Amino acid sequence: MPVDRSIMIEGGPIGVLLIHGLGGTPVELREVARRLAATGATVLCCQLAGHCGTEEELAATRFEDWYASAEAALATLEARCTKVVVGGLSMGALLAALLAARNPDSVDGVVMLAPTLRYDGWSIPRYGFLLRLLINTPLGRRYRFVEREPYGLKDERIRTMILRAMRRGDTDAGSLGTPSAALKQLWRLVARLKPLLGSIRQPVFIAHARHDDVASFNNAVLLQRRLGGTVECLVLDDSYHLVTLDRQRHLVTDRVAAFIRGVVAAPNRHPVLEPRRAAAARAERNAPIAAAEVAHVA
């Protein structure tokens, strides 16, 4: 069973949930977490079910399991914080958006870093579309998507370091291969999310590389068109897919921090004076007393 590599940095009353990508790990968001924590936020980088282990363990999970991990992490922050922003990298950005759609009273803002609705970047093989036709055949079930140069990174030094770690089996660095069963679950997640995009009214920040090698900029364009609230977009000109690790990672983090400051400064969409779950628990405890008082007065 994979070791839990979630990263929790305790801070102030503003919570930030960061969700890693498919086959990734919380480490790919660690630097972002540290820089946001330095602004006073409480930051949680959760580990999704089936990740940070073997490909077999990943293939045995469904997107509902990944979502449950993210939802549990959201509950952890709700218990501590008065406002919560959810965000993610690649597939994690989609889970963040689904959290926002399903929990509008719990999520105050959304950060989508290199959101991946489709693997259509310039490094993806042109025959990749055939996988959808073959996914349920014996050949399709045995298929594993293996990343190729440049592995989501324009920075050659960082690329070399991460590739070396992945090849020696360091689970902190993620996996080079993604089983077809996990790709099928990603498709199911996208199909579940797309009809809900218009219902996401919270402010959204998107950062996407113009020359993303894994997910083309069309992914960001589609989201801008379909999301139901305000959308701020940062177009990166010197990065590839892994924007939290690549050459413009500091710019990304600075803009995310500025976006969160804007969310915090905005009027509450619903009055919150204490951590939300604590407030709900207090209200539940007081409900019988209030009812008894009303009965006595009557």
Side-chain angles (χ1 to χ4, degrees):
M1 186 169 180
V3 175
D4 186 4
R5 288 176 168 78
S6 298
I7 300 168
M8 180 74 173
I9 307 177
E10 296 276 2
I14 306 306
V16 182
L17 171 60
L18 299 174
I19 308 169
H20 62 77
L22 180 59
T25 78
V27 172
E28 64 196 23
L29 291 159
R30 181 169 58 193
E31 183 171 345
V32 178
R34 287 173 174 170
R35 289 171 68 90
L36 293 179
T39 69
T42 293
V43 186
L44 172 56
C45 301
C46 66
Q47 178 175 313
L48 300 177
H51 288 71
C52 299
T54 65
E55 290 185 24
E56 290 74 21
E57 288 168 327
L58 176 57
T61 56
R62 294 160 61 86
F63 95 79
E64 289 88 352
D65 301 315
W66 310 336
Y67 179 81
S69 300
E71 193 170 46
L74 174 61
T76 297
L77 287 177
E78 279 192 284
R80 293 167 166 80
C81 303
T82 57
K83 281 193 174 185
V84 178
V85 173
V86 299
L89 174 65
S90 193
M91 181 271 285
L94 308 187
L95 288 172
L98 189 58
L99 280 174
R102 290 180 172 177
N103 302 274
D105 292 335
S106 301
V107 175
D108 294 281
V110 185
V111 173
M112 305 185 77
L113 307 175
T116 304
L117 297 162
R118 293 182 60 193
Y119 285 115
D120 59 352
W122 56 264
S123 73
I124 303 299
R126 296 305 175 192
Y127 56 79
F129 74 94
L130 293 173
L131 182 58
R132 286 185 178 268
L133 303 176
L134 301 173
I135 193 73
N136 292 317
T137 68
L139 176 63
R141 285 191 288 270
R142 290 196 302 271
Y143 175 82
R144 53 193 293 272
F145 171 73
V146 180
E147 290 196 53
R148 55 171 64 187
E149 291 278 354
Y151 304 102
L153 289 160
K154 194 170 186 179
D155 188 306
E156 294 180 5
R157 181 184 64 84
I158 297 176
R159 183 196 311 163
T160 300
M161 291 171 52
I162 292 178
L163 186 58
R164 186 182 298 126
M166 287 193 291
R167 284 176 172 167
R168 69 169 179 259
D170 185 345
T171 53
D172 273 342
S175 173
L176 269 174
T178 303
S180 61
L183 292 175
K184 186 176 181 180
Q185 292 305 310
L186 172 62
W187 299 340
R188 291 186 60 237
L189 168 60
V190 172
R192 190 68 56 87
L193 173 63
K194 275 187 174 181
L196 301 176
L197 289 173
S199 69
I200 299 175
R201 303 290 183 180
Q202 301 95 322
V204 176
F205 173 80
I206 299 174
H208 209 105
R210 180 178 287 117
H211 303 297
D212 191 313
D213 59 313
V214 175
S216 78
F217 190 70
N218 290 334
N219 287 269
V221 172
L222 185 148
L223 288 166
Q224 282 184 302
R225 288 174 176 169
R226 295 196 182 183
L227 286 163
T230 58
V231 180
E232 178 183 344
C233 188
L234 170 65
V235 182
L236 300 167
D237 62 353
D238 197 25
S239 294
Y240 288 155
H241 187 63
L242 296 177
V243 299
T244 59
L245 299 172
D246 216 344
R247 291 177 177 175
Q248 294 176 292
R249 59 191 181 277
H250 297 314
L251 171 61
V252 170
T253 305
D254 289 345
R255 291 290 295 272
V256 169
F259 170 77
I260 293 172
R261 286 196 297 271
V263 170
V264 172
N268 283 321
R269 295 177 299 113
H270 33 257
V272 176
L273 299 176
E274 59 184 306
R276 288 172 177 151
R277 288 186 180 268
R282 179 179 55 78
E284 186 175 345
R285 288 195 304 270
N286 291 343
I289 299 174
E293 289 175 347
V294 170
H296 178 73
V297 170

